[in-house]
Amino acid sequence: MTHRIAVVVLDHFAPLDLGVPGQVFWAAETPAGEKLYDVVTCSEGRAPVRCSAGYSVLPDHDLDVLDTADTVLVPGIHAGRALKDGTISDTLSAALQGRPRTMSICTGSFVLAAAGLLDDRPATTHWREAARFSRLFPQVKLDPDVLFLDDGDVLTSAGVAAGLDLCLHVVRRDHGSEVANRTARRCVMPPWREGGQAQYIDRPLPYGTGGGTAATRDWMLAHLDAPLDLNALAEHARMSVRTFTRRFREETGVSPARWLTGQRVQHARHLLETTDLGVEEVARRSGFGTAVSLRQHLHAAVGVPPLAYRHTFRRA
């Protein structure tokens, strides 16, 4: 018996998010070629829904089809009530309650949260919308650094391509690695991506607008491969250690050690992306000294080791 997945489509839906479940679950088959999933789409009142790319779709069903579904999935949205003020219609909220399994891709998590399905539960969403999500739904345990989160009967994913990861994870959970790997090959995608959203987030570290430690920060950037302790930094700035630490935090928002580590990670990422240097040499040039230290700091920052990071971004 096939597993029915009902995709709830809202106005301003993200086009790729709508296509992902139909493609991944359609590609999941038994060795004999029998389909394992049946994917249907619905909207409130079976009304046409318009996407951000300038076209509309007409789902085959209204929300009543959710009563026949084993899994309900909400694709991401680029606008609408859920993103604006964290609310959805009473009709949609009621329709989402009590389902065996509920999923969201990208900002579809706003819809699940607005329906109360994520209260006191872990969830994720697109990293660019994490601050807005936390402001609207402080009761949700948001983790913006992962590609997806499986909390049993409720699953959420990060943005865009992370929906592929989530759907493939569900195939693996439902039918095992052999079926999931075969599905991944059919979709021409990796069966598993290492790391999380952190490796894709552009997070420039805070710089001051000038002042007492600006020259020392420039000096630190020019000597990332040198052993820079707090005494040396304070001496360069011609301040006491205590004054330097206080001024540095006032101007950058972080401690000297954290700022320096962040800059070293950024430099290591740049070297991994743009050069063929060995990991030991990248570690030396970025100031971590050893490959072990680089591996620890890079994994803490972006969730993957150096070679996996290079593999992802050099190929990209």
Side-chain angles (χ1 to χ4, degrees):
M1 184 175 180
T2 57
H3 181 113
R4 170 163 280 195
I5 296 178
V7 180
V8 182
V9 193
L10 282 69
D11 271 326
H12 315 290
F13 69 88
L16 180 61
D17 293 1
L18 176 58
V20 162
Q23 180 62 50
V24 175
F25 293 118
W26 172 84
E29 300 176 339
T30 67
E34 299 168 338
K35 296 296 183 183
L36 294 170
Y37 297 92
D38 170 35
V39 180
V40 297
T41 58
C42 63
S43 64
E44 191 170 342
R46 196 173 169 266
V49 282
R50 190 163 182 81
C51 76
S52 56
Y55 61 87
S56 298
V57 299
L58 178 61
D60 289 343
H61 303 276
D62 62 20
L63 296 180
D64 288 344
V65 78
L66 301 188
D67 294 334
T68 70
D70 303 291
T71 296
V72 173
L73 188 152
V74 181
I77 50 175
H78 290 156
R81 289 172 56 180
L83 284 176
K84 182 179 179 180
D85 58 17
T87 65
I88 56 176
S89 71
D90 293 340
T91 301
L92 177 57
S93 180
L96 292 173
Q97 304 302 318
R99 303 304 171 185
R101 182 166 68 188
T102 310
M103 302 167 54
S104 67
I105 296 176
C106 192
T107 49
S109 56
F110 281 73
V111 178
L112 301 193
L117 300 181
L118 301 181
D119 289 359
D120 299 317
R121 303 185 72 154
T124 192
T125 194
H126 194 295
W127 62 267
R128 287 191 65 181
E129 299 295 344
R132 187 206 302 246
F133 187 97
S134 294
R135 185 173 65 253
L136 291 174
F137 309 110
Q139 71 277 20
V140 180
K141 301 173 183 177
L142 183 70
D143 184 347
D145 290 334
V146 297
L147 292 175
F148 61 84
L149 267 170
D150 181 342
D151 195 38
D153 61 331
V154 177
L155 302 91
T156 53
S157 85
V160 196
L164 291 163
D165 298 296
L166 176 60
C167 291
L168 195 59
H169 165 75
V170 168
V171 174
R172 183 180 296 106
R173 190 177 108 171
D174 290 348
H175 299 286
S177 294
E178 183 178 351
V179 173
N181 292 344
R182 190 164 59 243
T183 303
R185 287 194 296 271
R186 180 74 177 269
C187 295
V188 196
M189 60 179 288
W192 183 264
R193 279 199 295 166
E194 296 184 81
Q197 287 196 87
Q199 61 186 310
Y200 302 99
I201 301 174
D202 184 14
R203 290 176 173 164
L205 289 158
Y207 287 85
T209 56
T213 67
T216 300
R217 293 198 302 276
D218 290 341
W219 180 72
M220 293 163 72
L221 290 173
H223 298 84
L224 290 176
D225 59 340
L228 301 175
D229 60 32
L230 197 53
N231 288 325
L233 299 177
E235 182 178 350
H236 182 274
R238 298 183 180 180
M239 301 177 188
S240 68
V241 169
R242 182 176 180 179
T243 299
F244 174 76
T245 302
R246 176 177 56 80
R247 290 289 298 276
F248 196 100
R249 185 179 291 276
E250 289 173 352
E251 293 170 14
T252 67
V254 294
S255 69
R258 182 176 175 184
W259 190 91
L260 179 59
T261 298
Q263 297 298 336
R264 283 173 166 163
V265 167
Q266 290 291 88
H267 187 53
R269 291 172 66 174
H270 174 74
L271 294 176
L272 289 168
E273 292 175 23
T274 61
T275 75
D276 294 317
L277 294 172
V279 174
E280 288 283 355
E281 182 63 15
V282 171
R284 187 190 69 78
R285 294 193 185 192
S286 57
F288 290 115
T290 67
V292 172
S293 179
L294 170 60
R295 190 174 298 111
Q296 291 172 342
H297 283 92
L298 189 66
H299 198 282
V302 300
V304 293
L307 291 180
Y309 183 87
R310 168 172 278 168
H311 178 75
T312 298
F313 285 93
R314 286 302 294 274
R315 291 187 66 178

